[in-house]
């Protein structure tokens, strides 16, 4: 499979599958802590693939990788915190 | 493995160790500023929801997840074609650069059309920013992102024109890489926005 040798092509495949999973979780009405954590994890993996393989920051100076991946961690953590508060 | 031996040699020992930031430094500061603005917006949505859980859960059900999901696929695929344009530039494949930018642009156009269909259904039902807190966030967040898709498409148009003039190639792909990075940011933001606003409950 020559197609899969290209990291961008691999990333695209994973992104499509991951999007379908999130959409499916919506279809079955997934709600609550487990599904929120699952969706945030999926979004994190997807975002990381875009940062590393689409933006091509995998080989970039460490600072920029940390800034963008740090943004993902920050946003996911804030959303998780807000959802955790809403469950109380 | 054998066909790897004639791989180009630009990655000499000297350049291989140097970590390179694609595109211009300025575009990355701009991207970071945009991402921070969206981070505030995402957090505002999540915390507003915490004090209006029932309202948010109720009205989230009225959103069209199929159109939201379709738009995710369009942006991801649009991003992917723009990566292919950058890869084509690094290989000096002139025709593939412009073609891939064009397909990426068309994916963006598809996103806008789907979004307009979605908005017209909502506005047609009499929903507006002032209907309630959920719709205020839904409309302002998605519309703020919508404008970024439009700006991304303006950038892709410029890249396409430049690519057709043969500006990008192995000798220089900085402008292309900068515009591509912005386009990927638009994709990245939607990857967080879609589950947050359309699915998570």
């Amino acid at each position: 499979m020559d197609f899969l040798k290209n990291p961008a092509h691999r990333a695209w495949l994973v992104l499509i599958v991951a999007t379908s999973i999130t959409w499916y979780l919506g279809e079955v009405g997934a709600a609550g802590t487990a599904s929120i954590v699952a969706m945030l994890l999926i979004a994190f993996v997807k975002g990381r693939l875009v940062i590393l393989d689409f933006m091509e920051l995998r080989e970039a100076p460490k600072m920029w990788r940390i800034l963008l991946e740090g943004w993902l961690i920050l946003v996911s953590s804030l959303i998780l915190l807000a959802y955790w508060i809403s469950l109380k | 493995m054998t066909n790897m031996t004639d791989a180009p040699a630009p990655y000499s020992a000297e350049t291989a160790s140097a970590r390179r930031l694609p595109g211009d430094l300025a575009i990355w500061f701009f991207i970071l500023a945009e991402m921070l603005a969206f981070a505030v917006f995402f957090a505002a949505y999540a915390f507003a929801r915490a004090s209006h859980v029932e309202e948010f859960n109720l009205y989230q059900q009225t959103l069209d997840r199929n159109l939201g999901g379709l738009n995710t696929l369009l942006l991801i695929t649009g991003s992917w074609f723009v990566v292919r344009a950058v890869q084509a530039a690094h290989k000096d494949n002139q025709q593939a650069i412009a073609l891939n930018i064009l397909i990426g642009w068309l994916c963006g156009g598809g996103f806008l059309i789907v979004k307009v269909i979605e908005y017209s259904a909502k506005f047609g039902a009499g929903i507006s920013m002032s209907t309630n807190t959920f719709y205020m966030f839904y409309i302002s967040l998605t519309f703020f992102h919508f404008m970024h898709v439009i700006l991304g498409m303006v950038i892709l148009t410029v890249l396409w024109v430049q690519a057709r003039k043969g500006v990008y190639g192995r000798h220089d792909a900085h402008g292309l890489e900068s515009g591509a990075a912005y386009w990927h940011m638009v994709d990245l933001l939607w990857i967080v926005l879609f589950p947050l606003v359309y699915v998570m409950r």
Side-chain angles (χ1 to χ4, degrees):
Chain A
M1 283 292 277
D2 261 9
F3 184 85
L4 292 177
K5 280 186 187 160
N6 190 326
H9 297 1
R10 283 200 300 269
W12 177 77
L13 266 182
V14 176
L15 287 166
I16 294 295
V17 172
T19 301
S20 312
I21 295 172
T22 301
W23 173 85
Y24 178 76
L25 287 172
E27 283 305 291
V28 296
T33 314
S35 64
I36 286 163
V37 170
M39 285 175 215
L40 279 176
L41 275 176
I42 292 170
F44 182 79
V45 169
K46 288 170 78 179
R48 202 159 174 270
L49 283 174
V50 170
I51 291 168
L52 297 183
D53 293 326
F54 280 6
M55 291 178 161
E56 297 184 321
L57 290 186
R58 200 180 285 276
E59 303 302 326
K62 285 248 162 58
M63 182 188 85
W64 286 99
R65 258 191 80 160
I66 292 168
L67 281 173
L68 270 83
E69 290 187 75
W71 178 87
L72 259 187
I73 293 168
L74 173 75
V75 168
S76 322
S77 310
L78 286 172
I79 294 171
L80 190 63
L81 174 66
Y83 274 71
W84 179 71
I85 289 170
S86 78
L87 289 171
K88 293 214 290 186
Chain B
M1 290 305 278
T2 48
N3 61 356
M4 291 301 286
T5 53
D6 61 353
Y11 297 102
S12 62
E14 205 179 344
T15 53
S17 61
R19 291 181 157 268
R20 194 185 76 90
L21 184 69
D24 297 311
L25 184 62
I27 192 75
W28 290 100
F29 281 107
F30 182 58
I31 285 173
L32 206 59
E34 295 266 54
M35 286 171 67
L36 286 175
F38 270 94
V40 171
F41 228 149
F42 291 153
Y45 171 95
F47 284 98
R49 180 189 174 276
S51 49
H52 301 79
V53 178
E54 280 172 18
E55 177 191 318
F56 275 54
N57 281 351
L58 180 65
Y59 291 102
Q60 184 185 59
Q61 297 281 55
T62 67
L63 299 190
D64 196 324
R65 273 192 312 273
N66 295 340
L67 294 186
L70 174 62
N71 263 346
T72 314
L73 299 182
L74 281 168
L75 282 191
I76 286 169
T77 306
S79 239
W80 179 47
F81 276 100
V82 171
V83 178
R84 301 178 74 152
V86 173
Q87 291 184 349
H90 292 156
K91 287 178 194 150
D92 249 342
N93 185 352
Q94 289 296 329
Q95 276 172 331
I97 303 171
L99 179 65
N100 282 309
I101 294 171
L102 178 66
I103 300 173
W105 189 93
L106 289 173
C107 290
F111 178 97
L112 296 184
I113 291 169
V114 170
K115 211 90 205 83
V116 166
I117 292 171
E118 197 184 320
Y119 281 145
S120 53
K122 291 284 169 290
F123 297 151
I127 292 162
S128 74
M129 297 263 286
S130 56
T131 303
N132 59 39
T133 312
F134 176 77
Y135 284 128
M136 191 275 286
F137 272 105
Y138 159 71
I139 294 170
S140 53
L141 249 177
T142 57
F143 192 72
F144 191 44
H145 180 270
F146 187 88
M147 291 192 295
H148 285 75
V149 177
I150 293 176
L151 178 55
M153 287 177 67
V154 170
I155 292 171
L156 289 186
T157 307
V158 174
L159 295 181
W160 180 76
V161 171
Q162 297 287 82
R164 300 218 345 144
K165 287 187 199 154
V167 171
Y168 309 121
R170 194 172 285 170
H171 61 285
D172 180 21
H174 263 74
L176 176 61
E177 288 170 350
S178 300
Y182 186 87
W183 187 240
H184 299 318
M185 178 205 74
V186 172
D187 183 16
L188 177 60
L189 295 171
W190 186 260
I191 281 173
V192 177
L193 200 161
F194 171 63
L196 178 65
V197 176
Y198 287 74
V199 195
M200 284 173 58
R201 49 194 296 108

